[in-house]
Amino acid sequence: GRAAHGKIRKGFGLVARAFLKAFPDEADVRLNYKLHGDCEVDRIEDPRIIYTCEYFDWPKLVEWYRGNTAYVSGSSGEGWGLHLMQSMAVGCCPIAARYGGQAEFFDADVGRAVDFKPVRASEVWASMGSWAELSESSLIDQMRWVYENKSAAIKLGRKAATRASLYTWERTV
């Protein structure tokens, strides 16, 4: 799964391209995008990529997260990483770069870390310093790992949920 609001910084295209390269012929995989109703993305037409563009209340969002084996963050930078934290809280195996705010709670003990290199931020974020340029090959490797090691991914998801439980709203603020 992949949920977010935004476009370039959130890595929608990167995640979709990596998904297609990781699973060129597999019919038993899907990539679920959960987008806000006003969010526009360049869609890649593949029946295994499902785009849901609407606002979800909390129970429906929990159900959506739980419908995914893994949560894939292609984000270049986060002040916190709310979607990653939410997915971890319900036991999705996280796949993300350990960079920015996400590095406060995400690491290889609870998920699959994607390699990256720090680069100058672009577009409206250019004045804010650097962000992560995720390695497409590493992202592909992590997606394949989850696919080939589902029981181990489920265990990582459980560890992720335990880690997420440490971050209450009060502690997060």
Side-chain angles (χ1 to χ4, degrees):
R2 176 77 188 105
H5 189 267
K7 194 173 179 180
I8 300 297
R9 181 176 63 88
K10 297 294 186 171
F12 291 119
L14 170 65
V15 171
R17 288 188 306 274
F19 173 81
L20 292 174
K21 289 178 182 176
F23 310 108
D25 302 312
E26 290 82 351
D28 61 342
V29 295
R30 69 182 188 282
L31 176 60
N32 294 313
Y33 274 103
K34 162 56 189 92
L35 308 164
H36 293 288
D38 63 348
C39 189
E40 295 182 21
V41 298
D42 297 327
R43 293 178 184 228
I44 296 176
E45 296 302 322
D46 185 294
R48 301 168 305 157
I49 301 176
I50 300 158
Y51 297 90
T52 302
C53 297
E54 64 182 275
Y55 291 97
F56 283 176
D57 61 14
W58 182 240
K60 190 171 181 180
L61 187 59
V62 169
E63 179 183 328
W64 182 85
Y65 280 125
R66 285 186 175 153
N68 297 295
T69 304
Y71 177 79
V72 183
S73 174
S75 184
S76 296
E78 295 289 341
W80 175 248
L82 180 61
H83 291 289
L84 184 64
M85 175 59 73
Q86 290 173 335
S87 69
M88 288 171 61
V90 300
C92 286
C93 175
I95 299 173
R98 189 166 189 268
Y99 186 83
Q102 297 175 161
E104 293 296 318
F105 59 86
F106 169 77
D107 58 38
D109 289 339
V110 298
R112 303 297 297 179
V114 177
D115 296 337
F116 68 91
K117 65 179 178 182
V119 297
R120 184 113 182 111
S122 65
E123 299 203 5
V124 299
W125 301 277
S127 66
M128 297 180 195
S130 63
W131 65 13
E133 182 178 283
L134 278 64
S135 162
E136 182 182 70
S137 63
S138 178
L139 184 56
I140 291 166
D141 290 346
Q142 301 315 323
M143 288 183 189
R144 290 293 311 177
W145 184 92
V146 168
Y147 179 75
E148 293 164 0
N149 300 279
K150 189 170 182 178
S151 63
I154 290 168
K155 287 178 184 174
L156 278 176
R158 288 185 189 128
K159 288 175 82 174
T162 299
R163 170 82 56 84
S165 73
L166 301 174
Y167 293 87
T168 62
W169 279 113
E170 293 81 18
R171 182 165 185 241
T172 310
V173 173

